[in-house]
Structures are given as structure tokens and as C-alpha cells.
Amino acid sequence: MKRRDFLKVSAASAAVATVTGCSSDSAEPAEPIEQPITDPIAGESHAWAQCQSNCWAWCPLKVITKDGKIIRIEPHTEGDDNFNTGRIHNKACAKGLMLKELVYSPERLTKPLKRTGPRGSGQFKEISWEQAASEVAQSIRSTIDTCGNRALMLGNGSGSAHSSYPIMGPHVRLLNMLGGFQKTYGYYSASMKEQAISYTFGEGTKNFAYGQGTGSSSVTEMKHSDYVLSFGYNPVEMFMTGGGEGHHFIQTLEKNDLKFVYIDPRYTDTCLGREDDWLGIRPMTDGAFIEALFHEILTEYYINEAFDDNREFAERFILGLTKEALTQYRDDLKTGKIVDGNKEYADWIYPEENLKDYILGLGKFADENGGNSNAKTPEKAAPICGISADKIRQVAQDLLTARAPFICAGQGIQRSAQGEQVMRMIYTLPVLLNAIGRRGTNNGDLPMVAAAGPGAAPVPMAAWSDPTFPGFLGGTAPATVIQAKIPTYKTFEAMERGFEMTYRSDGVKGLKYGVTPFNSELPESEVNIKDETYGTNIKFLMTIAGNTVNQHGDINEVKRILSIEPSSAGQAEEPGLDMHVVIDTQMTPTAQWADIVLPDTTWTERWDLIASDNATVLTVPSIEPIGDSKPMFEFMVMLADNLGLSGFATKGRTQEELTKSFLDEAINGMLGDPELPPLEGHEKTGYVYIHSFDEPAIGMEKEFNGRNGAPALSTPSKMVETYSPRLAWIASNDGWDKDIQAYGETGGLSAIPKYVPTWESFESDDEGYPLQMVSYHTKGRAHSTFHNCPTLRKVYEDAIWINPYDANNLGIISGEMLDVTSKRGTLQVPAKVTPRIAMGVVALGQGAWNKLQNGKDIGGCANTLTRQQTTPLAKGNPMNTVRVRITQA
Ligand code: SF4
């Protein structure tokens, strides 16, 4: 079986889908390259490890040691770097190459610790692993006995994505064997787009591993396009690896004659002269910009016969484009001529609220004189989004006349208070243009990497699918696992008022009357007359390789909640954690707030096996664990022993033995790839095995390849639901939802996606905070990982970007230390005055470690400023909706 077939079958076996289509003009498959270890310099040894940070490129790292210590890290350099054959280097960026600084950092955890002072005081004493295991086990048992399994929570963590970690790790299995734990839904990266895609294209489109992909095309599919419109898709800064997505993007762009238009408040390294146009849009105004594109496209459709084919395609596939079609659909639902999942929402279908009338200012949306002055013209959008009307018209004309427009979006755009709305608009755009599911196009979403498949999962998945070790997605005890799910962005809130949270008040899913895949006991339209509370606060939290104190919104609020210490343990309705356990390699801002801190090993100190986009890396330890640190896996075995779960599916194996069994399964198992090298000959060094590229995939090709026939999507209507009857119902009944109430009179939801100004947006009252702030993934960190590498802090300066016009008005010069203040707090950071940021906007790299001094965060963490207010539909994190004021420090 070919590796890519193996991956597809593997992914399917875990109920995650695979690429949606393959082209016939694939790149030449590469021969697998087994990477030799070069002759060592005298006294040096070499072994392979992997950068397992949440950048998701997972580059191989050649670890050079001498006398048991790491001397330096080198990149992978073998191969011929020929993009067309796929024999490319998989070179680590500066972050991976600085791993040595993490291994030996002053913040490195080397002993188990127990808190001695107040939470957050940083006062700890050393304890033994045995004591730690005993106390943690005791707390887990006591929490279950007094508050139930719903009071147990695993914290969000993605800082070490190896084969026995995050969502499919032994900790998941262990807690499931005890009856389950509270789970969350939605995640920091992409909650809003996942909801948007599911409402627009159907749940079945949300189908790649870990929700990263949503039926999009691969990045290399761009080579068949003649026009790329990017809403902040920034692969060059996000994936700096020499062999991954950023590299694919650059190669694709450089080798093809296409027009590239980039829309983002920041002029990022993805541009650097590659773009034909950079449109420095104001944050959260993309919706107004897209409404104006819709206006230009629809105007052409209804006056210009040249676009009849595209108009007919749009009318056939889009539910809600015209009043007539929506009326017909509603009537057919009511009379039973059509039977589909929208039937129960038929009374909430309002045909007069169709997209065409809304955009063109017709019908219900006409002005008081019956005219169309409410039309969403480029002239209306220009003063909002900051892009001239002429430029908007140019983009619309380019889209209309392009042979194969490739429309894509990064994920920053959807991390905003109206993230769901803008993504629904972006997904509608290619359908409106008849530019979806065919060569050179995309469905509007983040493109996928054109390589070996969905990421790291396949290799461990093969082994974890062993029925005696079915840890994947925690499926060891399906009859007893907790089905309730709290929105991830309410994780900390649930420590204070989880007991009263309901489906209606806080979007808790999986309760008796909640509507989830597990429970549809009542039609959703009746849910608002019944409700059930979650019943307990979160009392026990275990965070592994996660820095959620730093990475959640409104750090000061997070700390306030974590500082609450209940008067006695086991009180379900009393605010505050009974125990907070952090397992990590560094004393992070999150670890400082733990009760028990346990030292994990780094990526160089343990066995592992991971498949990345470009390579499978077999890691063998380069050095002994530092101090008294242990692989997290070994602590879970100790914990299981203390909980009476001896040998919990490990069959007594160590991490080394387990990794070898993973490898054996990955080569020889039912879904194995016999081309993977065996262990023999690599016991001391591990290896890097280069994958051949997968063929470029055309997003949603299957769904649209019958483009002349009836639509066949997984939405209730089988159409692209630009008008969502279910959202129409929610919008009509949202009075009970306090999250939606927070959006004020404008509300947060509507049946068709619209541009709606929200709190702390460009059009809201600035209340003394005149600038909009966005945060971005800096080249010097992978989220908060690598923050404590001194070299990276020197190379990639942490500074807030401000336009020269704004800087001049405020009398600010580059390098000057500033106070940046929002309604939530103040941080200090130097200024970077640059024309690479739009006027009225400032931008700050996220992930810096919060460090409070005299009430100000001198560490410069963006989340000192962000708000803990969930978005209306996905209940996600609107990190890019922030207004700030800036003063000299
Ligand atoms: S941060 Fe990403 S690109 Fe850099 S070395 Fe690590 S995995 Fe590779």
C-alpha cells in the first residue's frame, strides 16, 4: 500500500476524512530518502529529534551531542531541494535550531514541585514523584466522589505534539477508565470557521484531522489559478520550515504567472514583493468589503448576459440567493414536497431576507422611498474598511473575469467578534463566482499542505488503533464517558459558575436537553422551554504541555479565577479549583499558578515517532532526562497504579518499548507502510524518512463535480446555506442567550451573513481607546513556546507595530517604550513604527509570557488586553477584537 493510501485509510478509520480530490497532474513521486547521519566531528554524536511545537511543520532536528550534552542543533539538509520531485529539504527554522536553549533554560523544570504559598506566588517545594502521584490520584478520586466526573478537566495544551500527547494520550485513556472527564468544544485556533463551514457547506465538510481542514484545496493547487485572493493567509510567517507550507506557497507563486492580492492590516512576509496588491484593511471590516464585492458581482449577474452561466450556478447551489427561490423552498418544506432537516425551521424562513435584496437594497431592504440607497455599494464599504471604492471594484472585476480564482483565508480573520459571519461570507464568495470544486479554485478556507496528509496522527494512530490500546480520541469507555462539553473559551468561567451553566445560557452541549450529535431527544426549537444545568464547577484541572493562563483571553481575569481557593474540597457549587496540576518542561506563566508542577522531558530526551507533512521522524533520546524529569507517559503509569488501574493498557511497556511497537505497527500493521525503514541500524540515531508529495487536492471537488445536476452537500437542504433556516430560528430566539445579548442591539446572528459592527470594532464608540489591535504569530515563537530562548528574543524583537501617521500624531518613535491599555489591562512593549501596518491599527506578536510588575504586564502578552467574551455562535475566542490606547511609558 502506498503511503498516501495508508494515510487516507488511517484517517478514515478514525472517522476523519481525507483529501477531497486528486488531480491527474501530480508531481513525480519521490523515492523515499533515508537520511544518513554524517560522519561526526571527533567526540560528537548525532541523533534525530523533531520540533514538536504547535507550528505543525514538525521539522526534523539533528541533535549534536558531546559528553552527554547538546552542543548544537542542525537542520535537515539532505535531498536535492527540487520542489517538482518532492525531494526537498525539511529545514528547521531558527526556533527549532534554538531548542538547546529550552533544554538548558533557567526556567527548565527538573523536580516535581508542590505549591507552598498562595496560588500564583511562585512559591514551591520539591517533592518526590511518588508523593506527587499519590496526591494527584487522591484529588482525582475525591473529585469524582464528591462532584462527579464532570468536575475533572484536562486543560488545553498543544505545546508538545508527540505520539503519546495531546488529545489521544494516555492521560485521556486514564481518565476515561475512571468514568470520563469534562470535555470542551471549539478550540482557540479555528472555532468560528468550523461553525461557519458547518452551517454553510454542511457538517460533512468539516472533515480533516483535528478540524484543521475544511474541505479546502491544497496550497499547490494555486498553480492552476490565475488569480489568488487571500484574506490574511500568511504561510510564510506561520510555517517557516524549508520544506512545508510556506515553502510550497513561495514555490507555487514564483513558478506561476498569477495575480496575487493580499488583504490584511499587516504587510506580512508572505508578501515581500510577491503580491500584486496589498490591501491594508481595517480589522473586522472584511465583511463590509465582501458585501461590496457581492454587490458588484450580483449587479453584473442581473444586467449582463455574459455571466448567465455563473448566475445560474449560484442560483442552483446557494440557498437564499433570491426571494423567489427561497419562497419556493419554504413552501415546498411546508407542504411536504421537500423533506429535509430544515423542516422544523420552516416557520423561521423569511424569503424577504434573501441575499440579493439585502445586498442590492431591494424589497424589504429598500429605503423609505422604495429606492435602493441602502445597497451595499463599494462607496458604502470604503469608509468602513479603508479600501477605496475603485479598488474594491477592481477586485470584483478581477474575480469575475478570472479563469480560476483561488480564494483563501487565514485563521486570524475568524478570531474576531463576528468571525462566523465573515467566514460564511468568504465561503459564499467562490460559490457565487462558480469558482469552487474545479481546477485552480478553493472553497475560501485555509489551504491544505500538499504533502503526506493530515499531519502527525497517522503513525501513532495505527498503533493506537490496537484494540488493547485504543487511546485515540479517548475512546476506551464510550458507555461512561462524559458527553457534556463546555466551550473552550469558557474553561475558566466554568471554575466559578460551571454549576449553573446550561445549553441556553452558555452553549454547554451534551446535556439532557442540549442538541448534540449524542442527544437530540428534543427538537432544537423546543429547547428553549427546557434546560438543564451542568451541575458542578470544574474542581480538578490537569494541563499537559499547555500554557492556557497566558494564551486565554483577559489574563487578569484568568488569574482572578485561579486565585480562588475553596474553603473545603469537594464543594461542587463553590468557586475555585481543588487541585491544579501542570506537566511541562518549563516554569511557564501557567505552571506558576499550579498546585503540583511536574517536570516533563523535552523532545530530545525520549523516544518518539511522528509523521509530519514532509517526513516521518523516529526520535531516540540524544541525552538523559535533565534532573529528575520524566516523560509524561511514565507519570501516567504511576498515576494509574495509584488509582488501581495498574498496567492500564501499556502492557507494562516503557515509552521506548511503546515507540518500537508503534513503529512495528506503522510498518507491518494492517494499515502499515512497508516502505518505512525498520529500527535495525537506527537504534542509536533514529531516522528521517522523506515522504513523497500527495497530488494537489481540489477542495470540495466531489461536492461540486456534478455542477450541472442537483447540489449534494451535507447541509439539511443539500445546498450552500447562505441562508440558514436554523440560524434564522436562533436569531429569532436569542433573547435567552447571554453571549448574544452581549452583542447589544445589533445582535450576533442572522440568517444570511452580514457585516455587523460589534463592541470594540472600528465603528463602535472608542470610549477612550482609539486604536484597533490585532495579534499575530511572530516568527520568534510558536504560540508561547520558545519565548524563553534568549537568542530568539534578540533576533525577533517584540514590539508593537504602529503606522507612521499614528505614531506622528502621538509623538512616538521606534524603540520607545509604550504603555498599551485596553479595558482589561496594561502592558509595556517598545514601538515599531512601520508603514507595514494600516493606519488606526496596531499589531502585536502573540505568545509573549505575561509578567506582572506594578499592575502592568512588562512581559508584553497580548492577552493582557483581550476580552473573555465568547462569539455568538461558536462560543469562540475573539482575540482580534480589541481597542487600545497608547501612551509613552
Ligand atoms: S517552529 Fe515550525 S518551522 Fe520552526 S523548526 Fe519548529 S516545526 Fe519547524
Side-chain angles (χ1 to χ4, degrees), residues 51 53 55 57-59 61 91-93 95-96 239-241 782 786:
C51 179
S53 70
C55 135
W58 297 328
C59 301
L61 303 172
K91 286 188 285 246
C93 75
K95 289 172 275 188
F239 308 103
M240 294 160 67
T241 171
F786 298 112

Side-chain angles (χ1 to χ4, degrees), residues 106-123:
E107 294 80 21
R108 179 70 199 266
L109 295 168
T110 58
K111 299 274 186 193
L113 300 173
K114 181 176 178 178
R115 175 171 67 91
T116 53
R119 281 205 179 118
S121 65
Q123 296 167 34

Side-chain angles (χ1 to χ4, degrees), residues 143 546 788:
T143 302
N788 56 329

Side-chain angles (χ1 to χ4, degrees), residues 1 101 115 138 202 219 243 311 376 379 544 571 577 582 858:
M1 180 181 279
E101 293 187 1
R115 175 171 67 91
Q138 217 172 342
V219 60
R311 178 182 52 74
K376 308 299 177 189
E379 281 71 20
I544 299 169
Q571 304 300 313
L577 291 172
V582 167
I858 60 168

Side-chain angles (χ1 to χ4, degrees), residues 47-122:
W48 287 105
Q50 192 169 31
C51 179
Q52 296 174 358
S53 70
N54 185 3
C55 135
W56 279 61
W58 297 328
C59 301
L61 303 172
K62 189 186 281 186
V63 184
I64 316 294
T65 56
K66 189 173 183 182
D67 300 328
K69 289 206 155 179
I70 298 174
I71 303 299
R72 64 187 179 278
I73 309 281
E74 293 183 358
H76 174 266
T77 54
E78 287 80 8
D80 60 12
D81 212 8
N82 183 337
F83 183 72
N84 290 326
T85 65
R87 295 167 61 92
I88 54 174
H89 304 161
N90 202 359
K91 286 188 285 246
C93 75
K95 289 172 275 188
L97 300 181
M98 289 299 118
L99 179 58
K100 178 185 162 191
E101 293 187 1
L102 281 191
V103 174
Y104 301 118
S105 77
E107 294 80 21
R108 179 70 199 266
L109 295 168
T110 58
K111 299 274 186 193
L113 300 173
K114 181 176 178 178
R115 175 171 67 91
T116 53
R119 281 205 179 118
S121 65

Side-chain angles (χ1 to χ4, degrees), residues 458-769:
V459 168
M461 192 187 299
W464 286 71
S465 63
D466 172 356
T468 62
F469 201 156
F472 184 63
L473 296 178
T476 58
T480 55
V481 293
I482 303 300
Q483 293 183 350
K485 291 184 177 182
I486 289 174
T488 297
Y489 207 46
K490 287 180 182 271
T491 297
F492 290 96
E493 208 176 328
M495 294 167 195
E496 193 168 30
R497 47 171 296 273
F499 74 96
E500 65 178 23
M501 288 180 166
T502 70
Y503 172 73
R504 287 190 289 150
S505 70
D506 292 275
V508 181
K509 295 184 179 177
L511 298 173
K512 187 173 179 186
Y513 298 114
V515 175
T516 75
F518 309 114
N519 182 339
S520 53
E521 193 170 297
L522 288 177
E524 188 175 33
S525 50
E526 291 178 31
V527 166
N528 64 339
I529 59 168
K530 287 179 181 286
D531 217 357
E532 178 194 353
T533 61
Y534 187 71
T536 179
N537 291 334
I538 300 303
K539 305 302 293 181
F540 175 92
L541 175 68
M542 182 156 65
T543 304
I544 299 169
N547 193 5
T548 42
V549 170
N550 207 71
Q551 299 303 97
H552 201 82
D554 193 352
I555 288 180
N556 290 328
E557 173 66 359
V558 168
K559 288 181 178 176
R560 183 193 67 75
I561 293 171
L562 285 178
S563 68
I564 300 171
E565 299 209 38
S567 56
S568 60
Q571 304 300 313
E573 296 190 7
E574 196 171 334
L577 291 172
D578 291 341
M579 180 175 273
H580 181 195
V581 183
V582 167
I583 303 177
D584 210 320
T585 63
Q586 314 291 319
M587 181 57 87
T588 63
T590 301
Q592 284 171 5
W593 283 83
D595 300 313
I596 300 280
V597 180
L598 300 173
D600 200 354
T601 46
T602 67
W603 312 321
T604 64
E605 296 157 55
R606 60 188 180 225
W607 285 79
D608 222 323
L609 178 69
I610 294 200
S612 70
D613 294 327
N614 293 69
T616 293
V617 178
L618 174 66
T619 292
V620 300
S622 306
I623 56 172
E624 291 295 315
I626 300 291
D628 199 12
S629 61
K630 274 186 197 302
M632 171 277 257
F633 172 81
E634 289 183 22
F635 175 69
M636 288 303 144
V637 174
M638 294 177 72
L639 194 54
D641 286 344
N642 274 271
L643 287 161
L645 303 171
S646 300
F648 82 112
T650 65
K651 299 179 194 168
R653 290 172 288 186
T654 63
Q655 183 144 354
E656 174 181 348
E657 290 164 335
L658 200 63
T659 304
K660 289 174 180 171
S661 75
F662 283 175
L663 180 60
D664 185 52
E665 181 74 19
I667 298 170
N668 302 312
M670 192 171 67
L671 301 173
D673 178 1
E675 292 175 11
L676 264 184
L679 179 66
E680 287 70 37
H682 305 285
E683 295 91 340
K684 289 193 164 43
T685 60
Y687 64 69
V688 178
Y689 171 81
I690 299 293
H691 301 165
S692 57
F693 282 126
D694 239 346
E695 298 88 347
I698 301 172
M700 304 191 73
E701 185 180 28
K702 177 167 62 66
E703 288 85 345
F704 288 93
N705 69 2
R707 51 202 320 113
N708 295 318
L713 285 103
S714 57
T715 51
S717 65
K718 311 288 182 227
M719 299 174 77
V720 178
E721 294 197 348
T722 296
Y723 187 102
S724 166
R726 187 173 176 221
L727 281 178
W729 172 79
I730 296 175
S732 299
N733 292 275
D734 61 14
W736 41 259
D737 189 316
K738 76 178 184 59
D739 294 322
I740 296 178
Q741 286 169 18
Y743 283 72
E745 285 181 13
T746 53
L749 299 174
S750 57
I752 56 168
K754 296 174 181 172
Y755 165 69
V756 182
T758 70
W759 46 272
E760 299 197 33
S761 64
F762 170 65
E763 293 192 77
S764 66
D765 181 355
D766 74 19
E767 300 178 89
Y769 303 93

